[in-house]
Amino acid sequence: MHSEKIVLETIDKSFLRTKWESILKKIIIRRIPIKYSENDQVIFLNSENEIKNFFSKSNSEKLKKTKIIVILTPLNNFINLIKFLDTIDKILDEDTKIIINYFSVSWKYIFNIFSFLGLIKNFKKSLFFSKKTFDVFLNCTNYESSKKLNDISLPFEIPLLTRLLSILFNIFPFLSLFSFANIFYLRKRVKRSSSNELMSLIIPCKNEEENIKNIISEAKIKLNFQYQLVFVDDLSEDETKKNILQAKIDNPETNIKVLDGVGKGKSRAVDIGVKNSDGFYCAILDADLTVKIEDLNSFYSAISIGNGDLINGTRLVYKLENNSMRFLNILGNKFFSYLITFITSSNVSDTLCGTKCFKKSDWEIFEEFRIRNKLNDIWGDFNIIFASSFYGYKLIDLPVRYYERISGETKMKRRFYYFINMLKLCYLAFLRFKINYK
């Protein structure tokens, strides 16, 4: 990479190019986890020399450490984009995300006018392309887009107008067709180094005494990957804790961990479970077994080969089993699925399925989003989805069949209270995603 020219740009940048670079940085910084920024795991590259120096062999330690690479140089000005992406694919860690931008083809003639006026430098070989053309490039590489940002409108700031346009572009994503630039998160499509890793099954329990033996026996028979069972007893009033401890004694060959919750709901129980687990991956499993434990084989497969960063179970694809979900619950699930899809611009068909799978290392990022935005998410499902989408993770739905609870009672009893709580969460997320309000 050092011996050949990779971009058309020169060191001397135009007025508008400099302005745009400043705006782009502000937009992206809002979407970067504080943890990565504080640990010096984010790098901004804005020239050919910086790109070449960063991706050099002598910079191997920094390359391993970096979580997010922001390439400020627009892709329009790369001489051979496919070759560049192929080169860095061989260098970068599989979990490193890249944030890129390119100027929209709809602004091509306006850019010609700007060039005539001397506001920008237009290169004869620059390529103005659409999302369709961008996908043609990506399909020839090991990279795919995991998230698009829609709040770009102008290459310079005009007080009030720029913010108004940004809000409108976020609320009405189709308007991004008229945006002068596009910003995407890129992630590796195929990952090979995470197979055979341990997965911790986080099982929050509240008065589930009759289900403990079934969970362990089902896991031993039906799971075909390395697993750990992490039970979090959330101050049960029955024999749940006693049964978990006895099951641990009766199954010494099974990796079982028993933890105590604080009685503040499923979200905090899951938090305790994830933080004290030993797995490379974590999957949340409701103790009622309304989602069959063998379905976790599909979750493990999807996460380990890199199909997504968050694997979200959806119960609303297959036909529901008789008596498995009340009619009002079905309506509520569909309502929040549409609402959260609108807020995040990520397709989510079931927001309240308790079965979700992710890397343990990403839990800190999810928690950072919850704390930063003051989300009192009792169940935890919404926050995981919001955080994943906000930080550019790839979220995929994985269909599961949903069965009637065999024993115990549902915890979703105070339906109106929980409905209001979820509406509040969506309102706060709307402010964060669409209004850019902190």
Side-chain angles (χ1 to χ4, degrees), residues 118-262:
L119 296 175
I120 65 169
K121 293 181 178 179
N122 212 354
F123 301 99
K124 290 182 179 180
K125 292 185 178 181
S126 289
L127 178 65
F128 286 84
F129 47 83
S130 63
K131 176 62 167 60
K132 183 177 180 180
T133 305
F134 182 49
D135 287 338
V136 170
F137 282 115
L138 290 184
N139 288 339
C140 298
T141 73
N142 190 31
Y143 283 96
E144 63 180 349
S145 61
S146 59
K147 182 71 177 179
K148 179 188 177 186
L149 301 187
N150 293 317
D151 56 351
I152 313 304
S153 54
L154 299 172
F156 42 79
E157 289 193 67
I158 301 175
L160 297 179
L161 177 60
T162 300
R163 179 164 176 76
L164 175 62
L165 287 174
S166 179
I167 292 172
L168 289 174
F169 276 47
N170 271 313
I171 295 177
F172 305 105
F174 69 90
L175 291 176
S176 64
L177 292 171
F178 304 103
S179 177
F180 93 100
N182 297 278
I183 302 176
F184 285 91
Y185 287 79
L186 301 185
R187 68 188 292 275
K188 290 198 178 186
R189 194 188 309 271
V190 177
K191 301 182 181 182
R192 302 180 181 88
S193 64
S194 301
S195 59
N196 300 319
E197 295 282 1
L198 177 70
M199 175 184 277
S200 293
L201 310 186
I202 313 302
I203 310 167
C205 305
K206 179 81 171 181
N207 300 332
E208 299 284 357
E209 60 183 0
E210 296 180 22
N211 289 322
I212 304 305
K213 284 186 178 180
N214 289 336
I215 292 172
I216 296 173
S217 61
E218 291 282 299
K220 291 169 68 174
I221 296 170
K222 296 181 177 178
L223 295 182
N224 54 26
F225 55 85
Q226 291 189 70
Y227 64 89
Q228 174 189 49
L229 302 179
V230 182
F231 290 96
V232 185
D233 177 55
D234 203 29
L235 302 184
S236 295
E237 298 166 346
D238 61 4
E239 300 294 313
T240 297
K241 177 72 176 292
K242 178 182 176 181
N243 290 353
I244 297 172
L245 292 173
Q246 185 60 50
K248 181 177 172 65
I249 294 172
D250 294 340
N251 298 273
E253 76 287 355
T254 304
N255 187 348
I256 299 174
K257 183 171 284 192
V258 186
L259 303 168
D260 291 319
V262 293

Side-chain angles (χ1 to χ4, degrees), residues 302-344:
I303 193 79
S304 63
I305 64 177
N307 282 349
D309 301 305
L310 172 66
I311 315 301
N312 179 60
T314 174
R315 304 160 295 177
L316 303 178
V317 174
Y318 290 123
K319 184 178 179 180
L320 292 168
E321 299 293 319
N322 292 335
N323 303 317
S324 62
M325 188 183 297
R326 295 184 181 183
F327 179 68
L328 286 179
N329 287 25
I330 296 173
L331 291 181
N333 271 300
K334 291 189 174 181
F335 169 76
F336 282 112
S337 294
Y338 289 127
L339 181 57
I340 289 178
T341 294
F342 164 70
I343 291 170
T344 63

